[in-house]
Amino acid sequence: MQAVMRRMMRIGISLCAMLSLLIARDAAAQAVFSETRARALPRNEFAFGIDQWQYAPDSGDPSGGSTRWGLVLVSRGSLLGQWNLGEQEGALRLGDYLETGVGFYGATGTGSLRQSPVLRLPMHYGLQLGKLTAGGTQLVGRAGYAAGLSATAYAGPFIGARVKHRAVGVESSYIMDSEGSNASVLLRWYPRTSMGIFNVALRYERQRYEPTGAFSLTKGASERSLMLLFSGER
């Protein structure tokens, strides 16, 4: 009987030790998760998806426009790092902001009107300032310089904003090009099972090109882009 009791005590002690270890590991994982989620600025992000891209000249000639489908890759991060500005770690942070991307779009049209595949290469670089509110809402402001190659190249200063609360995030940006403008809106959804890391995003972008001068023969044009992105950020 005593031998059985000793064996049961050993088993109980072993189970308690295993349970304590699991609880400690879970607490450590939750601490890492809380640190990752409770930050005023995301560290980095990588996204991929599909894009429907439309180009339309103001002339109204359908042969001059095109609608393409493409695959896109987007990377966001920081070159110099991020710095904490508040008393509480992660509540107020400043850092540089680098966003690069590449989109590959297939050929479009038929016969003599067939157009070759093209690449789009956007890039943003500047500063970002993030604030994490007491309620857990992430507020981010961005400003810098943007450039890109597409149907027509563009370059100019940009401003942007990001708001994230629980499972929903919204971002926007506006590029002031000397010959036009570029505005975009992005809506994110973070599934509960993703622990705030993985998300699905829908991004709409409209780019406008104006004629280069009063006597220019170059007509204006516009581009529209609708992207479905699958993203991971931390």
Side-chain angles (χ1 to χ4, degrees):
M1 186 67 178
Q2 291 181 355
V4 174
M5 291 295 294
R6 293 194 194 97
R7 184 175 299 177
M8 292 181 64
M9 289 181 62
R10 293 193 191 101
I11 294 174
I13 292 172
S14 299
L15 290 176
C16 289
M18 292 178 62
L19 182 60
S20 300
L21 179 61
L22 291 175
I23 292 175
R25 291 182 60 184
D26 183 71
Q30 289 294 331
V32 172
F33 168 59
S34 298
E35 179 185 355
T36 301
R37 181 177 57 177
R39 288 171 59 90
L41 292 175
R43 289 188 180 95
N44 50 59
E45 175 186 357
F46 181 79
F48 69 93
I50 57 175
D51 182 16
Q52 185 196 57
W53 175 43
Q54 295 179 324
Y55 173 78
D58 287 351
S59 62
D61 182 5
S63 62
S66 62
T67 298
R68 301 174 186 263
W69 289 88
L71 299 176
V72 294
L73 298 174
V74 180
S75 175
R76 291 177 169 182
S78 175
L79 288 179
L80 304 178
Q82 298 178 2
W83 302 273
N84 189 62
L85 301 181
E87 296 181 359
Q88 182 180 354
E89 178 65 26
L92 181 64
R93 296 183 71 86
L94 173 68
D96 66 326
Y97 173 74
L98 174 64
E99 177 181 337
T100 59
V102 59
F104 177 79
Y105 299 81
T108 184
T110 58
S112 61
L113 298 178
R114 188 173 181 82
Q115 302 180 30
S116 302
V118 296
L119 288 175
R120 297 182 75 197
L121 301 170
M123 186 189 76
H124 295 63
Y125 186 72
L127 295 176
Q128 57 179 347
L129 178 65
K131 168 67 176 178
L132 190 68
T133 67
T137 301
Q138 187 184 73
L139 306 175
V140 179
R142 296 169 175 147
Y145 194 82
L149 296 175
S150 52
T152 305
Y154 66 89
F158 81 90
I159 55 174
R162 167 186 166 109
V163 178
K164 178 182 179 293
H165 182 71
R166 295 182 180 177
V168 178
V170 179
E171 298 186 25
S172 64
S173 68
Y174 184 78
I175 304 171
M176 296 160 280
D177 182 50
S178 59
E179 299 178 0
S181 61
N182 180 304
S184 66
V185 177
L186 184 146
L187 176 64
R188 296 182 188 270
W189 173 61
Y190 298 81
R192 184 172 298 180
T193 56
S194 74
M195 301 182 71
I197 297 175
F198 299 103
N199 61 86
V200 180
L202 191 64
R203 183 178 185 271
Y204 175 77
E205 175 185 339
R206 185 179 187 275
Q207 189 163 311
R208 174 69 189 167
Y209 304 106
E210 301 294 344
T212 55
F215 301 99
S216 173
L217 298 178
T218 303
K219 302 297 183 180
S222 62
E223 296 181 32
R224 293 179 177 85
S225 170
L226 183 62
M227 295 184 188
L228 175 63
L229 297 170
F230 301 91
S231 169
E233 68 175 42
R234 63 182 184 90

